[in-house]
Amino acid sequence: MKSLKALAALTLAALSTSVYTYTVPPGSPGFYHGNSSAAVTFDEHSLFIDDKRLFVFSGEIHPWRIPSGKPVWRDIFQKLKAAGFNSISVYLHWGVTEGKRGELNFDYYRSHTDVYEVAQEVGLFVVSRPGVSIYAGGFPSWLTNVPAKARTNQTGYTEAWLPWIKATAKFIEPFQYPNGPVIAVQSENEFEESSAINPGRSEPHMALLEDTFRANGVTKVPLTHNDAGTNGVFAHGLGQVDLYMWDSYPQGFACSNPTSWPELDTVRLDTAHQRYVPDEPWATGEFQGGAFDPWGGSGYDACYVLTNEQFANVSAQNNYAAQTTYQNLYMSYGGTNWGNLAEPTVYTSYDYDAPIREDRTLSNKYSEVKLQAEFLHASSEFLVATRFGNGTVGAGTAFSDNPNIYTQALSSPNGTHFYIVTQRTNKNLTPTQFSIRVNTTEGETTIPKFGGNATLDGREAQIIVSEYPYGSHKLKYSTAEVFTWATIGGVDYLVLYAQEGHAIESAITVAQGTTAKVTGSSGIKAHIENGTAIITGSPSGVSQVNLGKTVVFVADKRTAYTFWNAHLSTENKHDASPDNPSVLVFGPYLVRNATLDNGSTHLTLHGDLNATTTLDIVAPPSVRTVSWNGNQINVKKSDIGTLRGTLNFNLKTPTLPNLKKVAWTCTDSLPEIKDGFDDSGWVTANKTSTQRPYPPLGGKFILYTDEYGFHQGNTITRGHFTGKNATGVRLSVQGGFNFGYSAWLNSKFLGSNQGKNQYTPGGGVDLTNDTFKFDPTDLKDGDNVLTVVLDPTGLEEDYNGEDTFKTPRGIRGYELLGGVDFDHWKIQGNLGGEDFPDKVRGPLNEGGLFVEREGAHLPGFSTKGWTRSTASSPCDPYTGISSAGIQAYRAAFNLDLPAASDIPIALKFERTPSSSYRSVIFINGWQFGRFNSKDGPQTVFPLPEGILNHQGKNELLVTLWSLDAEGAKVADLELVSTAVISSSKEYAKGIVPSPGYADLRG
């Protein structure tokens, strides 16, 4: 076997003689580095920004999933920035922007400009993703009635998307780097190539999309496409994009079995890179940052176990071993499927067990990702490192003699080496001790050299480095991992970490006469030997090793989770490398930003606390005073050489209003089943054919609600027939996975049925077939009415381009039994249908329940005429209803949460799985929850600041629809705080500007 050094040299020599064959796509100005004058370019290794290499460490966030606007977006962006993210990736939602064809609305939470401005302010690049399809329910609902097949070059579809893409491009144009933060634009998402079933449909459509972007000003940054796998889709040929990207979700979405991991694929990524785009950087446009959960699923806490910080550690470092230098974590903040944003495979919460949770709190996964991001930004040599070996004993190149250790090795042209070590199998959950052969300038060396072994936990990955430069020094090798480094006051500071209890060994070349002094935790030792400082021991807490012109901090990994590399505010906010001066801060929950003031004598820090914290700072020697969130902190020199002070946490868990004691009023929200209800003003459902590829399953008339302009939320369909001859009715009802419906004959309850989720054995259920027999005594000589109330779970995605998003919602088929038929049908959904009145909250906020059409969910609605709940005659959700039907409950409460705090508030239900009832939650006019007691799993519904008034009045509407004949009640309903954090974030005062009852119904 050749030596490791020889292998590295051969690999580098081969690369140096390679002839790359990148071709500029037709119509593109070209962005290949060395052949382009653009500010954003790339070569086979990485992106360049202004001729400087960049590891794109990006987080997916969808601002429209949290409509609180700039203050809350800024909070999330700052948290991502603090964790080392230098970019965000943003889906843009066509559907919420064009609720009615021809009426594009980019105001409020739909504003592209606001997103770009906040990102620019915070210092994050943006990858803009307009779609057209975004796999988040992104199509406008009216598109279901366009006969042309979506995601093709058919004229009808092209005419539908052109106004959206043209307008989106115009918003992007002035924000392209260097004038703004946008560094790339996605032209399509996981779009398949043409096939034998659909010949010639994809490539012309893709090319037209790209031409449209460029013709409307998107010419300064690359156009991209996310391949659903690593298959080279649109990497070449007609429709080729400037920069190919791939998506990967290696852990899958089986949150019900969260401890079962598939094995790492350590070969496929590198092989695909070399096969499809060897002359481009290896870029993952979506890499698994969490998992979604379905109705009836296990809940996002179980999903977190599936894709926790261990997964983030192991899976992402497998990407880095494959020379990935562009990585976007989907999701990094998930948010909420408020209104009716969700598609059928997910419920209200889009927490996605992301690093930043739905209530904006930080998880351990956030901290793990921070360790990775900071290392990558500090390691410029990694951006040009290439693989020179991988394997284990008996398979490939073995760098360790322990057969349980698998190694993937990379080397840079300057001789820096990176060894990504993992367990050979993810089934091994126990720690493994090992030694490893690494390359140094002195030759191949087995480390540790001074006794003992390195340790790798089960389901852990580590990056071991050798000949690693930092500042003017070099880390010869280290079995402890690098967090970051910074040159501060002429001293090179290096931060290393390892699991507590693991032995480490690190070697640093030092000048003659250097001495080693260790302070802090006693678990670390250091000595000088032949011009090399040797650091050994086992970290616990923080130790400092002072080597004169370089100082090394060694911490256990959990302690390192509280470390922050806070870049000092400069004109170049985007640069997260050591070239951009920084201070090191240890201890706080979050450090948002740092600035030097008063001639660099004062350090101003802003951040968040969740407990009283010891603050340690490594700052320039000129710093004499420190403030935290505007308050002066008494700091003194510590035993580890830092400026040390105490950050006091004084907030207490707030006492929230007891919803059992507020004044409730209630009303019937299903007057449609009462005798004499007048539906003459409703839409008459009289279509006898449909152009969508889903024919009816029976009956004369098409009863798909979308056909009549009602696309979201509850809908009500009423069929009229005359006389007593009917004996029953057969209904086929379709509403998406876990949908529900109930039926009445006149005022007599007939029954209900519900769908099941996609993981149900045998497949999910989104359509049911039922036959209801009529009791002759319930029939009348004159007009009889069959009333069907539907709770759909959204439109389908269109993953395979087969128009699945056009799947019907409503009554798919019917037959009135007894030799008679319906005279006519009426359909009602949200007020106005596509002419919805609320242009602020948008097209998806309201459904078709009576109280929604009346505007009872809106601020300022008068409950005059409703029943007031009293002790002797309660009318509240805890009492409920005694029969099938729908009741609405309204209450108001006040909050007075302290300023300079971040206290997320949620509405918490107690489930009764044996009871089939559903609730819709409105807070201050915004629909922020759909609760399903039978299926669950969601019981806690975050109410974001700005939608919820933290310092004033709030108006709550909760509906209760019992699908069971015996009725239902809410076992418990309460306001809860999910965290108590002292914060410097911008306070979202009051409620975001949005209309009330007088504006929309008065």
Side-chain angles (χ1 to χ4, degrees), residues 175 274 297 300 334 426 435 516 805 834 868:
F175 288 98
Q274 300 310 316
Y300 280 111
N426 283 329
S435 60
F805 77 104
E834 292 177 6
R868 187 167 299 278

Side-chain angles (χ1 to χ4, degrees), residues 652-669:
K652 299 186 182 303
T653 301
T655 300
L656 300 176
N658 185 340
L659 294 183
K660 291 181 178 177
K661 296 182 178 179
V662 301
W664 288 97
T665 56
C666 72
T667 193
D668 177 29
S669 191

Side-chain angles (χ1 to χ4, degrees), residues 471-488:
S472 59
H473 290 81
K474 184 166 285 187
L475 181 62
K476 294 292 294 180
Y477 64 81
S478 178
T479 61
E481 295 187 81
V482 175
F483 169 51
T484 191
W485 65 269
T487 301
I488 302 172

